[in-house]
Amino acid sequence: MNQTKYIFVTGGVTSSLGKGIIAASLAKLLQARGYRTTIQKFDPYLNVDPGTLNPYEHGECYVTDDGAETDLDLGHYERFLNVPTSQANNVTTGRIYLSVIEKERRGEFLGKTVQVVPHITNEIKDRMQLLGKSGDYDIVITEIGGTVGDIESLPYIESVRQLVWDMGENNAIVIHLTLVPYLAAAGELKTKPTQHSVKTLMESGIKADILVCRTEHEISNEIRNKLALFCNVKREAVIQSIDASTIYEVPNLMLEEGLDIVALRKLDLPKKTAPDLKTWNTFLKRIKNPKHTVNIGLIGKYVEMQDCYKSILEAFIHAGATNETKVNVISIHSEHINEDNIAEKFKDLDGILVAPGFGERGIEGKIAAVRFARENNMPFFGICLGMQMSVIEYSRNVLGLAEANSTEMNTDTLDPVVNLMESQKTVTEKGGTMRLGAWKCEVKPDTLAYKIYGQTTISERHRHRYEFNNDYLETLEMAGLKASGINPDTGLVEIVEIENHPFFIGVQYHPEYKSTVVNPHPLFVSFVAAAVQAKKK
């Protein structure tokens, strides 16, 4: 195949319809037919990346191997395709404008007046084609964030219009995801919002090639015909996307609707083989037919919004399927935990995960959760801040260092068992300056970590500024908290564990970022297995 083909996914009527899931599902089907496929996300906000955004604003910040702080949709792309993403897969308006302004400061525009058209749109077009020009992909799917009609999305929509025109017929298509709401009072589905959304898209010079209709009820043939007629698409290109019990059902639903066939036909590409979804469907079968059920307490600071811990929740689904276990994740706000109520809050749990986070709010509740798990032989798993809390808890309650803390929470603590990394002490800018991306870790033999990974050298993704203070390493190890994983280059303690405990492990990195349907993360798999065993006992 000579030329990379492009699929653009836009959204209309309302946000949060699931463009990322539709893009990932289509990519999965095309990949299963033998096409090298990737997905990229263009976000219309002015932040250079989501790294400085509050989780309540934008959900979790996903991190790639190359250290990019990205939109959480990239997590869906990796989980569906089992292919790593990179800095190039997520671009924001802030990054676009920053690049153009830097070029202007260097004099690259030869005295021209710098404008949204053509300079911003040219920069967007260059970024949109970057992955395609690498030669690594047959098809690049580009998700445009936001909703058609939004002011901030206009430069992206114009860029898509120009690219579709530049590339010519059969080389680039547009899928428009829209809502077909059900009005209970009228007792029927309404097509008018979709008609208006498509009209808005056409006013920008773009004709939708495929219409994907999000709905809570089956769309009748009559409605499909009506949408095809008034939205100027072919009848076969009106695709129903009905609510599913899990996002992992969506590829099969799109296969039934023929989304991949319609897309390939419009791109003038052969069907190749039928999609091979055997592994995918085995996974789905295990999700739907569990043999066990466990309750895992997710102890966090942002539990009001599920997207804040999206990758952790998905990793539990992957690990649950591997163990043929339904994992009920019980979100518990760490601010609401204290010595008086902890036994009541945790009485129905089979395991505890203390989640990542930043800042001092809710910290004492996390420390109390660690202590409860340690003293009651309940399976414990700490991630990033959760691992640091396990170090503080052990220092306070086993070593007797009552004032032990992290300098993130208390800069004047007498025992800073968790401290700001040396390389961070001169950092003034917050964006993109943490320890980010994939780092190696040497796992010690004869440890729980080695039993889980089955190898001595691993690579995991990081996102943190504070780390285990090695001044306390020898004392803590002598007291029974073992450092079972060490970064070979920096000496950073990556993994801590307790030997005489059913399952107690804390990791400085974020294993949830690497868990996929095909490769569930071994830490989550082992943790769920330990919770199953704990429940049996």
Side-chain angles (χ1 to χ4, degrees), residues 119-138:
H119 301 101
I120 296 297
T121 50
N122 283 347
E123 183 74 20
I124 292 171
K125 286 177 2 185
D126 288 343
R127 301 284 181 127
M128 285 178 169
Q129 297 174 90
L130 194 61
L131 289 168
K133 288 177 178 176
S134 68
D136 295 332
Y137 303 105
D138 304 317

Side-chain angles (χ1 to χ4, degrees), residues 275-288:
D276 179 9
L277 295 173
K278 186 177 178 183
T279 303
W280 189 271
N281 287 326
T282 299
F283 163 76
L284 257 182
K285 188 177 179 182
R286 286 181 166 180
I287 289 179
K288 292 180 177 180

Side-chain angles (χ1 to χ4, degrees), residues 233-253:
V233 298
K234 291 193 173 177
R235 167 67 174 70
E236 64 176 21
V238 178
I239 305 292
Q240 170 183 282
S241 177
I242 200 161
D243 287 358
S245 61
T246 167
I247 58 172
Y248 300 108
E249 281 185 345
V250 179
N252 281 326
L253 294 175

Side-chain angles (χ1 to χ4, degrees), residues 6-11 22 26 30 172-178 194 198 201 206-213 227-228 231-240 254 257-267:
Y6 291 84
I7 298 172
F8 298 98
V9 181
T10 60
I22 291 297
L26 176 56
L30 296 172
I173 63 170
V174 175
I175 296 175
H176 191 53
L177 176 65
T178 180
T194 295
V198 170
L201 196 61
I206 295 176
K207 176 188 175 297
D209 296 285
I210 300 172
L211 209 54
V212 177
C213 303
L227 285 166
C231 296
N232 201 24
V233 298
K234 291 193 173 177
R235 167 67 174 70
E236 64 176 21
V238 178
I239 305 292
Q240 170 183 282
M254 292 303 99
E257 287 286 309
L259 176 60
D260 55 327
I261 296 292
V262 176
L264 289 171
R265 192 174 295 146
K266 289 187 175 295
L267 290 170

Side-chain angles (χ1 to χ4, degrees), residues 143-283:
E143 177 191 347
I144 307 298
T147 307
V148 168
D150 294 346
I151 291 172
E152 56 263 35
S153 295
L154 288 174
Y156 292 111
I157 298 300
E158 171 59 17
S159 300
V160 170
R161 184 196 69 77
Q162 290 182 23
L163 274 178
V164 171
W165 187 84
D166 290 342
M167 292 174 180
E169 199 173 348
N170 303 129
N171 291 320
I173 63 170
V174 175
I175 296 175
H176 191 53
L177 176 65
T178 180
L179 178 68
V180 180
Y182 179 81
L183 288 190
E188 61 181 352
L189 291 165
K190 306 303 287 186
T191 64
K192 195 63 71 178
T194 295
Q195 292 179 48
H196 281 298
S197 183
V198 170
K199 182 181 178 184
T200 302
L201 196 61
M202 292 181 77
E203 285 171 353
S204 300
I206 295 176
K207 176 188 175 297
D209 296 285
I210 300 172
L211 209 54
V212 177
C213 303
R214 285 284 282 117
T215 176
E216 297 174 348
H217 299 268
E218 294 281 342
I219 295 176
S220 65
N221 286 329
E222 182 186 359
I223 290 178
R224 287 181 193 248
N225 291 333
K226 185 177 180 181
L227 285 166
L229 178 64
F230 290 112
C231 296
N232 201 24
V233 298
K234 291 193 173 177
R235 167 67 174 70
E236 64 176 21
V238 178
I239 305 292
Q240 170 183 282
S241 177
I242 200 161
D243 287 358
S245 61
T246 167
I247 58 172
Y248 300 108
E249 281 185 345
V250 179
N252 281 326
L253 294 175
M254 292 303 99
L255 180 65
E256 289 172 16
E257 287 286 309
L259 176 60
D260 55 327
I261 296 292
V262 176
L264 289 171
R265 192 174 295 146
K266 289 187 175 295
L267 290 170
D268 196 22
L269 292 173
K271 296 178 190 175
K272 290 193 176 183
T273 57
D276 179 9
L277 295 173
K278 186 177 178 183
T279 303
W280 189 271
N281 287 326
T282 299
F283 163 76

Side-chain angles (χ1 to χ4, degrees), residues 294 296 315-316 319-320 323 325 327 523-533:
V294 293
I296 302 293
F316 272 127
N323 286 287
T325 299
V327 180
L523 276 168
F524 280 88
V525 172
S526 299
F527 178 52
V528 171
V532 171
Q533 289 303 313

